[in-house]
Amino acid sequence: MKDSKLDKIEIFIKEQKISEAQFELSKLGKEYEKNPDYLFLRGKVFYLNRLYYAAIDALLIALEFEKNNKIYNLIAEIYGVIGNNELKKKIMDLNLRSEAIKSLKEQLYGIYRK
Amino acid sequence: MIKLLWNTEYQNLPDPNNPTKQDLVDNKWGIYHKKNSDRWIFNILKNVKFNIIDDEKKLKKEDILIIVDSSPEKKKEFYIKLKLACNKIFLIHLGDESGILDLSSIYDGFNFVWRSFCLRRFFDNKKVKCIPIGYKSGVHLNKEIKKKYKWSFIGTPHRSSRHDLLFQLSQIKPSFCHITKKFNEKIIDSLEMSKVLSSTEFIPCPNGFFHPETYRLYEALECGCIPIVENAFQYYDRLFPNNPFIKVDKWIDAKSIIKDWNEEQINKKRKECQLWWHKYQKQLQEDILNTITL
């Protein structure tokens, strides 16, 4: 990541220090709201705290700013955990993921769109 | 004498020539809260004998005043003036789902505040107590109706939770779904809503747009349904310790409950929820009376 604050949070997550990561994330201001790395880390922390839907919502917004494999993969993983394997498979598939996410977002009226 | 000024719909009216976006929003919400929350608020004030006033000129120095408002931050000076004109002043603050504003200086001007949409800073607060947002006016149990739906959902699938709820539960029949594209748009009226809820065993209550609480939970309780809430942030356990709601982290966990629970399990849980809701409201009514008349 290109940001030392986000790097620090990523290290906390790797070390399983989730509360510390959460606290550092909460200190970041509005300037991070459109930062895909920040949104990815938020999604990751939500996921580790079993806040599955908050995680998916954050990651779908992250995809608005950067189409990144790690974001797609984490969304797919979460859909597997919550029991939607059909959507998981589509998002894991490099040829289908873009259309699957587009279709999903069209059904979610409250997700931020650029 | 205790007097009540319902002030949600009397917002700073937008200047017709130059309305600010926020004034228009506040005005709309003020009208919304008056229309939808009056029955609930009068219910929690059931033990308090008060007169409704529509003009501060009807206030006397010895009076106790209860204000109901959804944008008190816009009327700080007005409420300071009212505090000087009466003995005690209390606020019931509706709305404020996002909790973005720091309202401490507004709340300081009141003897005590009850607010909906609890936030971390208001749990265990000595000056502020969180109250449920309650049910919408007009929604009530139709006792003669049989429970024909296993589950029902009326609302907007704005985010992933509601989308997943519909995905996971759609195979369980009979059910009732009324999906709207926008909040408060093409909604079914309270009479129809009462019929549907009174006919339903389980009501999944996904989190709201900004905040976990929605009217849906209290409408479910009011209509004798079993609510299934999201367990995110353990919000309901913090707001209502020892509540009997079914809590899930993901909607797939609700599937087997809705599908497989037998009549005995359903009736037992329903009675547990009804008893809890009845006791909770009674206690809240007493607490409010005691705080006001202490």
Side-chain angles (χ1 to χ4, degrees), chain A residues 22 46 50-54 56-57 60 79 81-87 104 107-111, chain B residues 120 156-161 163-165 167-168 179-182 209 230 232-233 249-252:
Chain A
Q22 200 172 324
F46 280 140
R50 295 194 301 177
L51 298 166
Y52 304 113
Y53 303 113
I56 293 170
D57 294 341
L60 289 176
Y79 269 107
V81 171
I82 65 173
N84 189 340
N85 287 313
E86 190 187 332
L87 192 49
L104 177 61
Q107 296 168 66
L108 306 177
Y109 312 115
I111 294 290
Chain B
R120 190 190 300 225
T156 314
H158 45 57
R159 288 186 178 170
S160 60
S161 168
H163 178 265
D164 189 51
L165 180 163
F167 170 78
Q168 297 291 349
I179 305 298
T180 55
K181 279 198 169 187
K182 270 187 177 177
F209 192 78
E230 279 189 63
F233 309 103
D249 288 320
K250 46 194 189 305
W251 290 111
I252 195 170

Side-chain angles (χ1 to χ4, degrees), chain B residues 4 10 43 51 91 97 114 142 262:
Chain B
L4 181 137
Y10 301 117
N43 174 38
N51 286 344
L91 173 66
E97 190 176 359
W114 291 274
N142 288 323
N262 61 33

Side-chain angles (χ1 to χ4, degrees), chain B residues 137-150:
Chain B
S137 301
V139 176
H140 63 277
L141 172 67
N142 288 323
K143 281 183 182 162
E144 69 280 8
I145 292 180
K146 279 192 174 179
K147 300 277 183 193
K148 62 177 174 183
Y149 302 124
K150 295 294 280 180

